[in-house]
Amino acid sequence: MGPLPRPSRWMWTADVILAFVLAVCTVGTAVRQGDASMAVPPGRMPLVEGPVPVPVPPPPPAGWIPDLGPVGHLEPWQIVLAALTALPLAARRRYPLTAFGAVIVTTLLFNQRLGAGDTTVYTFLSCVVAAYSAAVYSPHRLRALVGVLTGAGLIAAFAEENFPSVTPGVVPFLLLVGVGLGANATHVWKQRVHALEVRQEAATRLALERERARIARELHDIVTHNVSVMVIQAGAARKVMDAAPGRAREALLAVEAGGRTAMAELRQVMGLLTPAGEEPETDVGVGMGGEDDADLAPLPGLSQVPALVGRVRATGVPVELTVIGTPVPLPAGVGLAAYRVVQEALTNTVKHAAGATVRVVLEHTPDALHVVVTDTGGAASPSARTGTGRGLTGLRERVALHGGTLSAGGRPTGGYRVDAVLPSVEPS
């Protein structure tokens, strides 16, 4: 389970106040205990029978100022050490393990130097709060467990100096402290669970957004290309229908082939959205006089690039395909990305550069596939006004997903160039 959110200002203030109060109580009790310890310890005076004469000191001379010595008969470093037994609690939520270690070490040193006394009530309480904070707030569960067990073992090893004497009046206080710590621990765990749920919901929303973007790219690539080709072929058939029925028939067959291709690819995309065990409702063969072979059609890849070029060439666009190097097996995702690069570049040529000559180059190297699509430039078709500019953006994201790069822009000699480099191995 992940860490809690950063402490709020109110939490910081409460922890600082708690640390300050415990430090003041520890220092004050240590000063009073130091005063009381100035009495002569038993065993230092000789045993004598009868009443012990009490010497009466002579009166001080006029103008004499008494030397009070160190505050409470404690050295300054002892007072600082007493304060440090509680002050690290100010960071108990932000750095729980560090605060716990500091409290345990200073408590052991202080109680060893001063000896057992009334201060153990406050030093022991500081250790309990620090151990509770380490167990509840630390994201490092194993370190927190080992640290708390180690600290408890050290305190138990020197029980006489570190454990307070429990009187009946202290028992209700200890019970109230235990109930309060338990209630706060429950509240903290609820906060932790809520924070984890929020992070999971955010991660789910991000995954859904990325999946929507991926599907949108697929639909854009499929629909834009095939519909553009179909519109051009249908327009050509309309113009030559009376003068050249044979050419019109070829154009209509090309429209049918483009529609079949679009439906097959749409069925594949719909299959990604359909729950397991259900069939997508898109029927490729209905009304077209052909068998429904979409389920047997592979995902588009480099092997389908010649057919893609042929469909575009059938619309009247001169397209030259050149393959350089020896093709190597590519992951399905890389092959699909290369196919989409060629598809988007040819679609843009059809829409924005009518009359242009296109050259497609597939260069295979041992480490990468280099895809270059160039055109000589031409006039924009009426469908160019409907473009959104998202095609190249989505294409760039698709290529980057597979560890590749894509650049697109005008050529100095006129026309447009799309250049993509895709690694032959999927990134890990």
Side-chain angles (χ1 to χ4, degrees):
M1 192 171 291
L4 287 170
R6 294 177 66 89
S8 62
R9 183 177 300 178
W10 184 91
M11 292 179 180
W12 276 113
T13 304
D15 291 342
V16 170
I17 293 175
L18 174 65
F20 179 76
V21 169
L22 287 176
V24 169
C25 292
T26 305
V27 171
T29 305
V31 170
R32 290 195 301 271
Q33 183 174 329
D35 286 335
S37 66
M38 291 302 295
V40 180
R44 295 294 182 87
M45 298 180 61
L47 298 176
V48 296
E49 297 181 357
V52 179
V54 179
V56 178
W64 176 79
I65 300 177
D67 183 11
L68 298 178
V71 179
H73 306 289
L74 292 179
E75 296 293 335
W77 66 267
Q78 291 177 314
I79 297 176
V80 173
L81 195 61
L84 290 178
T85 59
L87 289 181
L89 294 178
R92 69 187 186 93
R93 299 179 202 258
R94 188 70 182 92
Y95 306 103
L97 289 180
T98 303
F100 172 72
V103 168
I104 289 294
V105 171
T106 53
T107 296
L108 291 172
L109 292 175
F110 175 73
N111 287 335
Q112 285 292 326
R113 294 295 182 178
L114 196 63
D118 296 336
T119 56
T120 54
V121 175
Y122 301 105
T123 57
F124 184 76
L125 182 59
S126 298
C127 291
V128 170
V129 173
Y132 164 82
S133 303
V136 173
Y137 296 112
S138 175
H140 310 290
R141 314 310 303 164
L142 182 59
R143 296 182 190 176
L145 178 61
V146 173
V148 170
L149 292 178
T150 303
L154 292 174
I155 294 294
F158 303 95
E160 294 183 0
E161 294 87 353
N162 296 290
F163 271 99
S165 57
V166 180
T167 60
V170 180
V171 173
F173 172 74
L174 295 179
L175 291 177
L176 290 176
V177 169
V179 171
L181 293 178
N184 188 66
T186 303
H187 175 68
V188 168
W189 278 106
K190 288 182 178 180
Q191 280 186 317
R192 196 184 293 269
V193 171
H194 176 69
L196 180 60
E197 291 176 349
V198 170
R199 287 196 296 271
Q200 288 178 341
E201 291 178 359
T204 302
R205 286 195 299 270
L206 180 61
L208 288 175
E209 291 174 359
R210 289 178 176 175
E211 185 65 14
R212 289 193 190 101
R214 187 179 72 86
I215 295 172
R217 289 195 300 267
E218 289 289 343
L219 293 176
H220 173 274
D221 294 338
I222 293 170
V223 175
T224 302
H225 171 77
N226 289 289
V227 171
S228 297
V229 173
M230 292 167 63
V231 168
I232 293 175
Q233 292 283 18
R238 176 179 56 82
K239 292 179 179 179
V240 301
M241 184 174 298
D242 297 330
R247 293 179 57 189
R249 182 176 180 276
E250 293 177 0
L252 290 176
L253 289 176
V255 171
E256 181 183 358
R260 286 180 179 275
T261 302
M263 293 297 289
E265 294 188 18
L266 282 174
R267 186 179 181 93
Q268 292 171 347
V269 174
M270 294 298 293
L272 300 176
L273 305 177
T274 304
E278 297 184 11
E279 288 294 330
E281 297 180 358
T282 305
D283 294 326
V284 178
V286 175
M288 295 186 181
E291 295 183 358
D292 186 359
D293 58 352
D295 293 334
L296 301 178
L299 285 172
L302 285 182
S303 60
Q304 281 76 41
V305 170
L308 173 65
V309 170
R311 288 197 299 271
V312 176
R313 190 183 291 130
T315 65
V317 179
V319 183
E320 176 187 351
L321 174 61
T322 303
V323 179
I324 302 174
T326 303
V328 296
L330 297 174
V334 174
L336 177 60
Y339 178 89
R340 296 303 186 201
V341 169
V342 178
Q343 186 182 56
E344 179 66 22
L346 293 177
T347 301
N348 289 339
T349 300
V350 171
K351 294 174 63 176
H352 301 280
T357 300
V358 187
R359 184 166 186 247
V360 179
V361 178
L362 303 178
E363 182 179 358
H364 296 272
T365 65
D367 300 326
L369 170 65
H370 195 184
V371 181
V372 181
V373 183
T374 57
D375 65 66
T376 57
S381 64
S383 61
R385 293 191 296 269
T386 63
T388 61
R390 297 178 182 175
L392 287 176
T393 301
L395 197 63
R396 190 172 285 108
E397 293 175 356
R398 181 195 293 274
V399 171
L401 184 65
H402 297 284
T405 59
L406 183 139
S407 60
R411 302 170 61 196
T413 57
Y416 204 77
R417 175 187 176 97
V418 177
D419 193 337
V421 178
L422 288 159
S424 300
V425 181
E426 290 276 13
S428 56

Short mmCIF file of all heavy atoms in Angstrom, two decimals, residues 3 5 19 53 63 73 101 123 140 166 168 197 220 229 263 267 277 280 317 335 344 362 364 418:
data_model
loop_
_atom_site.label_atom_id
_atom_site.label_comp_id
_atom_site.label_asym_id
_atom_site.label_seq_id
_atom_site.Cartn_x
_atom_site.Cartn_y
_atom_site.Cartn_z
N PRO A 3 2.31 5.30 0.19
CA PRO A 3 2.41 6.26 1.29
C PRO A 3 1.22 7.20 1.31
O PRO A 3 0.50 7.36 0.34
CB PRO A 3 3.71 7.01 0.97
CG PRO A 3 3.85 6.89 -0.52
CD PRO A 3 3.27 5.56 -0.89
N PRO A 5 -0.62 10.96 1.64
CA PRO A 5 -0.29 12.27 1.08
C PRO A 5 0.58 13.07 2.04
O PRO A 5 0.68 12.78 3.24
CB PRO A 5 -1.67 12.91 0.88
CG PRO A 5 -2.64 11.78 0.86
CD PRO A 5 -2.06 10.72 1.75
N ALA A 19 5.42 17.82 20.04
CA ALA A 19 6.85 17.68 20.33
C ALA A 19 7.31 18.73 21.34
O ALA A 19 8.09 18.42 22.27
CB ALA A 19 7.66 17.80 19.03
N PRO A 53 24.26 16.04 64.92
CA PRO A 53 24.26 17.52 65.04
C PRO A 53 24.13 18.16 63.67
O PRO A 53 24.72 17.72 62.70
CB PRO A 53 25.61 17.82 65.68
CG PRO A 53 26.47 16.65 65.32
CD PRO A 53 25.55 15.45 65.30
N GLY A 63 26.70 42.05 50.93
CA GLY A 63 26.99 42.18 49.50
C GLY A 63 27.30 40.88 48.79
O GLY A 63 27.64 40.88 47.63
N HIS A 73 20.93 22.28 38.46
CA HIS A 73 22.09 21.42 38.71
C HIS A 73 22.29 20.42 37.58
O HIS A 73 22.78 19.32 37.80
CB HIS A 73 21.94 20.71 40.06
CG HIS A 73 21.69 21.64 41.21
ND1 HIS A 73 22.66 22.48 41.71
CD2 HIS A 73 20.56 21.88 41.91
CE1 HIS A 73 22.15 23.20 42.71
NE2 HIS A 73 20.87 22.86 42.86
N GLY A 101 14.02 6.69 15.12
CA GLY A 101 15.41 6.40 15.49
C GLY A 101 16.03 7.47 16.35
O GLY A 101 16.74 7.18 17.33
N THR A 123 9.65 10.42 28.53
CA THR A 123 10.50 9.81 27.50
C THR A 123 9.87 8.53 26.96
O THR A 123 9.94 8.25 25.75
CB THR A 123 11.89 9.50 28.07
OG1 THR A 123 11.77 8.65 29.23
CG2 THR A 123 12.62 10.77 28.46
N HIS A 140 7.61 2.14 4.11
CA HIS A 140 8.52 0.99 4.09
C HIS A 140 8.13 0.04 5.22
O HIS A 140 8.58 0.17 6.35
CB HIS A 140 9.97 1.44 4.23
CG HIS A 140 10.35 2.56 3.30
ND1 HIS A 140 10.48 2.37 1.94
CD2 HIS A 140 10.61 3.87 3.53
CE1 HIS A 140 10.81 3.51 1.37
NE2 HIS A 140 10.89 4.43 2.31
N VAL A 166 4.53 2.37 37.11
CA VAL A 166 3.10 2.49 36.86
C VAL A 166 2.36 2.44 38.18
O VAL A 166 2.46 1.46 38.94
CB VAL A 166 2.61 1.36 35.93
CG1 VAL A 166 1.11 1.49 35.67
CG2 VAL A 166 3.38 1.39 34.64
N PRO A 168 -1.58 3.12 40.16
CA PRO A 168 -3.00 3.00 39.78
C PRO A 168 -3.56 4.26 39.13
O PRO A 168 -4.46 4.18 38.29
CB PRO A 168 -3.69 2.70 41.12
CG PRO A 168 -2.62 2.04 41.94
CD PRO A 168 -1.34 2.69 41.56
N GLU A 197 -7.36 4.28 -3.59
CA GLU A 197 -8.49 4.22 -4.52
C GLU A 197 -8.47 5.40 -5.50
O GLU A 197 -8.76 5.24 -6.69
CB GLU A 197 -9.80 4.22 -3.73
CG GLU A 197 -10.03 2.92 -2.94
CD GLU A 197 -11.29 3.01 -2.10
OE1 GLU A 197 -11.84 4.13 -1.98
OE2 GLU A 197 -11.71 1.96 -1.55
N HIS A 220 -9.39 6.69 -37.60
CA HIS A 220 -9.01 7.75 -38.52
C HIS A 220 -8.24 7.20 -39.71
O HIS A 220 -8.51 7.53 -40.86
CB HIS A 220 -8.17 8.80 -37.77
CG HIS A 220 -7.59 9.85 -38.67
ND1 HIS A 220 -6.39 9.67 -39.32
CD2 HIS A 220 -8.04 11.08 -39.03
CE1 HIS A 220 -6.13 10.74 -40.04
NE2 HIS A 220 -7.11 11.61 -39.88
N VAL A 229 -10.24 7.28 -51.04
CA VAL A 229 -10.06 6.55 -52.29
C VAL A 229 -11.41 6.22 -52.93
O VAL A 229 -11.59 6.34 -54.15
CB VAL A 229 -9.25 5.27 -52.03
CG1 VAL A 229 -9.19 4.40 -53.29
CG2 VAL A 229 -7.83 5.63 -51.60
N MET A 263 -14.26 -2.24 -44.29
CA MET A 263 -15.09 -3.01 -43.39
C MET A 263 -14.29 -4.09 -42.67
O MET A 263 -14.52 -4.38 -41.48
CB MET A 263 -16.24 -3.64 -44.18
CG MET A 263 -17.25 -2.65 -44.74
SD MET A 263 -18.11 -1.74 -43.44
CE MET A 263 -19.15 -3.03 -42.77
N ARG A 267 -13.86 -4.20 -38.70
CA ARG A 267 -14.25 -5.37 -37.89
C ARG A 267 -13.13 -5.75 -36.93
O ARG A 267 -13.38 -6.16 -35.80
CB ARG A 267 -14.60 -6.54 -38.82
CG ARG A 267 -15.15 -7.74 -38.06
CD ARG A 267 -15.50 -8.87 -39.01
NE ARG A 267 -16.04 -10.00 -38.27
CZ ARG A 267 -17.33 -10.20 -38.07
NH1 ARG A 267 -18.21 -9.35 -38.53
NH2 ARG A 267 -17.75 -11.27 -37.40
N GLY A 277 -16.20 -13.70 -26.17
CA GLY A 277 -17.35 -14.57 -26.33
C GLY A 277 -18.45 -13.98 -27.16
O GLY A 277 -19.41 -14.68 -27.50
N PRO A 280 -18.67 -9.16 -32.99
CA PRO A 280 -19.03 -7.81 -33.43
C PRO A 280 -20.13 -7.86 -34.46
O PRO A 280 -20.24 -8.81 -35.23
CB PRO A 280 -17.72 -7.26 -34.01
CG PRO A 280 -16.90 -8.47 -34.34
CD PRO A 280 -17.29 -9.52 -33.35
N VAL A 317 -3.32 8.02 -59.41
CA VAL A 317 -2.15 8.67 -58.81
C VAL A 317 -0.91 7.83 -59.11
O VAL A 317 -0.86 6.64 -58.74
CB VAL A 317 -2.32 8.84 -57.29
CG1 VAL A 317 -1.08 9.48 -56.68
CG2 VAL A 317 -3.56 9.65 -56.97
N GLY A 335 5.09 -3.53 -37.84
CA GLY A 335 4.60 -3.64 -39.21
C GLY A 335 3.33 -2.85 -39.43
O GLY A 335 3.15 -2.19 -40.47
N GLU A 344 -1.27 6.89 -44.35
CA GLU A 344 -1.57 8.30 -44.05
C GLU A 344 -0.90 9.22 -45.07
O GLU A 344 -1.50 10.21 -45.51
CB GLU A 344 -1.09 8.64 -42.64
CG GLU A 344 -1.32 10.08 -42.21
CD GLU A 344 -2.79 10.43 -42.10
OE1 GLU A 344 -3.62 9.52 -41.94
OE2 GLU A 344 -3.10 11.64 -42.16
N LEU A 362 10.86 1.75 -48.80
CA LEU A 362 11.00 0.93 -47.59
C LEU A 362 12.43 0.42 -47.53
O LEU A 362 12.82 -0.43 -48.34
CB LEU A 362 10.02 -0.24 -47.61
CG LEU A 362 8.53 0.10 -47.75
CD1 LEU A 362 7.70 -1.17 -47.81
CD2 LEU A 362 8.06 0.99 -46.61
N HIS A 364 15.24 -1.48 -45.42
CA HIS A 364 15.47 -2.40 -44.31
C HIS A 364 16.94 -2.38 -43.91
O HIS A 364 17.82 -2.50 -44.76
CB HIS A 364 15.08 -3.83 -44.70
CG HIS A 364 13.62 -3.99 -44.99
ND1 HIS A 364 12.70 -4.29 -44.03
CD2 HIS A 364 12.92 -3.89 -46.17
CE1 HIS A 364 11.49 -4.38 -44.58
NE2 HIS A 364 11.60 -4.13 -45.87
N VAL A 418 7.30 12.56 -45.84
CA VAL A 418 7.05 11.91 -44.54
C VAL A 418 8.14 10.88 -44.34
O VAL A 418 8.35 10.00 -45.19
CB VAL A 418 5.66 11.25 -44.51
CG1 VAL A 418 5.45 10.52 -43.18
CG2 VAL A 418 4.56 12.28 -44.71
#
